Amino acid sequence: MANLKPKTLSAGSVIRIVASCSPFSKPDFLKGVRLLESWGFKAKYQKNIFSKDKNNPYLAGSDQRRASELITALEDKGCDAILFARGGYGSMRLLPYLDKISIPKKQKLIIGYSDITCLLNYFEQRFKWNVFYG
């Protein structure tokens, strides 16, 4: 079976930003959101995206929080793309959560880098989606 191709993004496309790895600077993040919006995209993210795991400062919240955020983005029918806020450590810990969901009906553009590579490979292999390292 050939990989599915995502639709091209255009003004008005919804990009959900998720944090599946390490925490990051809120001012830098908001600067990036404003840039996406200046290009005509609608940026969405959960309010708890700035979470930090109390027991592991290298994670943007608990595994369950990060997995729930990613699954919500995958299942959001109005979402056209998922952009990972950053790489870092922790995305591999989300794979067991993803095995429990059904393959989303709507193909999304997926963009991430660094530790996100394991998720990119997962989406390509399980969902047959084209993914982008960037």
Side-chain angles (χ1 to χ4, degrees):
M1 176 179 181
N3 282 12
L4 302 173
K5 293 183 181 178
K7 80 175 201 178
T8 303
L9 298 182
S10 57
S13 292
V14 174
I15 300 174
R16 285 197 74 124
I17 307 167
V18 299
S20 66
C21 293
S22 301
F24 43 85
S25 159
K26 185 174 183 177
D28 289 343
F29 175 85
L30 295 175
K31 184 178 176 182
V33 168
R34 286 191 300 274
L35 181 62
L36 290 171
E37 291 172 343
S38 76
W39 293 339
F41 300 121
K42 295 179 183 174
K44 289 177 63 176
Y45 57 92
Q46 293 183 346
K47 291 180 182 178
N48 63 358
I49 195 169
F50 305 107
S51 298
K52 292 183 182 176
D53 190 307
K54 295 176 202 170
N55 300 318
N56 189 336
Y58 298 106
L59 296 173
S62 68
D63 291 348
Q64 185 159 1
R65 189 215 71 79
R66 292 177 294 112
S68 174
E69 177 181 64
L70 178 55
I71 291 167
T72 297
L74 289 167
E75 293 177 343
D76 181 349
K77 294 176 182 163
C79 170
D80 301 302
I82 297 173
L83 176 63
F84 291 90
R86 70 163 289 174
Y89 167 74
S91 65
M92 189 172 290
R93 296 166 57 136
L94 305 185
L95 294 174
Y97 294 91
L98 297 176
D99 284 340
K100 299 173 185 170
I101 66 168
S102 299
I103 296 174
K105 293 185 188 322
K106 180 180 178 182
Q107 155 80 45
K108 298 173 188 336
L109 184 67
I110 307 284
I111 308 161
Y113 70 100
S114 184
D115 194 49
I116 303 299
T117 303
C118 71
L119 294 174
L120 297 177
N121 288 338
Y122 180 90
F123 297 136
E124 192 278 330
Q125 290 175 12
R126 181 164 180 230
F127 299 169
K128 300 297 183 211
W129 288 0
N130 283 314
V131 296
F132 299 89
Y133 184 91

